[in-house]
Amino acid sequence: MKVKEVAELAGISVRTLHHYDEIGLLSPAATTDAGYRIYSEQDLETLQQILFFRELGFPLKKIKEILHNPSFDREEALEMQHRMLLEKQKQLEKKIRTIEKTIQEVKGERTMTQKEKFEGFDFSHNPYEEEARRRWGDQTVDEANKKTGQFTEADKNRLSDIYRNLTAARHLTPDSKEAQDAIHEWYVFLQRFGHYTPEMFKNLGQMYVMDERFTKNIDQFGDGLAQFMADAMAVYANQRTNEN
């Protein structure tokens, strides 16, 4: 199959396939004299694997390492992907139920507990690890991951409390006492998983608004929350820097 046919079949762009070829992730079996890429049946199987891994949030670099490993087993990989997608489905179903309950509450048909409002959200897993590694280095992220493995039920409850407080304070000015108290709790919590200097904390806040993935994820808790956190984190970091 030619590249355009593969792109239409898989629902991705031709440019994406060209990029996969350029980085050595998926190179077509052959190229015609005219320079057209020709994909084999095996290439399509590999592309399916890539798209499954991408759906699960794996970075391209990691996918390449997995697929190019001599011990790679396609059946084993499919079984793992199946388990992970089922888990993702469960989390999505929880979020759907939460938003349905929230709609009912907005209509005055029911009252939700604070805990119910955040069912289905789990920030113990960081889907943006590749970006963090690029910005802050492997050592910082590896240390954070090691600590994240010790994520307790109390940590999850604490995280939910922090986000509730931040959501409630987001209509205040970022330098207000309430906002700064809430963002201080966020700063302290992050130290549980790695050493964040005030400058790193401020830069992290900027990522919340510069990267639409972060913005979308955070704003699920309340419109404008990502921007509010970024502003409050900048104020907090600047105050701590001046104090020192």
Side-chain angles (χ1 to χ4, degrees):
M1 297 180 69
K2 293 181 180 179
V3 63
K4 185 177 181 181
E5 295 173 319
V6 174
E8 292 176 350
L9 177 67
I12 58 179
S13 68
V14 170
R15 180 68 192 107
T16 295
L17 289 171
H18 286 174
H19 180 60
Y20 289 172
D21 187 7
E22 291 166 2
I23 65 175
L25 177 59
L26 175 61
S27 298
T31 304
T32 68
D33 293 336
Y36 293 108
R37 294 171 170 86
I38 302 297
Y39 291 82
S40 66
E41 180 68 27
Q42 185 175 352
D43 290 334
L44 295 181
E45 292 176 357
T46 300
L47 178 59
Q48 184 197 52
Q49 282 290 308
I50 293 170
L51 297 182
F52 276 139
F53 278 123
R54 289 297 285 162
E55 179 65 27
L56 291 165
F58 282 66
L60 294 178
K61 182 179 178 181
K62 185 62 178 178
I63 297 173
K64 182 178 177 180
E65 291 176 4
I66 293 172
L67 296 180
H68 289 193
N69 191 314
S71 64
F72 175 74
D73 184 301
R74 185 181 178 220
E75 182 178 349
E76 183 180 42
L78 287 168
E79 292 287 354
M80 179 194 71
Q81 291 162 341
H82 184 242
R83 291 193 299 271
M84 294 179 71
L85 285 170
L86 286 176
E87 181 60 31
K88 186 175 181 179
Q89 180 186 39
K90 288 198 305 185
Q91 290 298 319
L92 182 58
E93 288 173 348
K94 288 181 181 178
K95 292 178 182 179
I96 291 172
R97 288 196 296 271
T98 297
I99 198 169
E100 288 173 344
K101 291 178 182 178
T102 304
I103 291 172
Q104 291 176 342
E105 183 180 52
V106 170
K107 291 181 177 179
E109 298 173 356
R110 67 174 298 153
T111 301
M112 297 176 70
T113 66
Q114 296 290 8
K115 183 177 181 180
E116 284 180 313
K117 292 179 181 178
F118 296 92
E119 287 179 350
F121 295 102
D122 184 3
F123 284 84
S124 62
H125 170 66
N126 179 12
Y128 312 118
E129 181 175 308
E130 184 180 30
E131 179 71 10
R133 288 186 184 279
R134 184 180 70 80
R135 290 173 181 258
W136 298 319
D138 290 336
Q139 183 177 356
T140 299
V141 177
D142 288 339
E143 289 177 356
N145 283 345
K146 183 178 180 181
K147 293 181 179 180
T148 302
Q150 304 165 4
F151 209 84
T152 65
E153 191 64 31
D155 289 327
K156 293 182 180 180
N157 292 335
R158 182 63 191 138
L159 186 58
S160 294
D161 290 340
I162 291 172
Y163 265 85
R164 278 196 291 270
N165 292 336
L166 287 167
T167 301
R170 75 185 190 280
H171 299 302
L172 303 173
T173 59
D175 59 352
S176 67
K177 183 179 185 304
E178 293 86 350
Q180 287 300 298
D181 285 346
I183 214 66
H184 172 71
E185 292 300 317
W186 180 227
Y187 181 78
V188 171
F189 185 83
L190 286 178
Q191 304 306 319
R192 168 83 166 77
F193 305 100
H195 175 64
Y196 286 81
T197 65
E199 185 64 22
M200 288 173 63
F201 188 59
K202 181 179 180 179
N203 290 340
L204 179 64
Q206 290 303 306
M207 284 177 61
Y208 292 169
V209 292
M210 294 176 64
D211 191 323
E212 63 180 11
R213 299 169 301 172
F214 278 94
T215 305
K216 182 178 179 181
N217 203 27
I218 294 172
D219 280 359
Q220 292 180 93
F221 289 89
D223 290 339
L225 180 58
Q227 184 65 62
F228 167 76
M229 289 182 67
D231 294 341
M233 290 163 77
V235 171
Y236 184 85
N238 291 337
Q239 288 178 347
R240 289 181 67 89
T241 300
N242 292 335
E243 289 172 358
N244 295 331

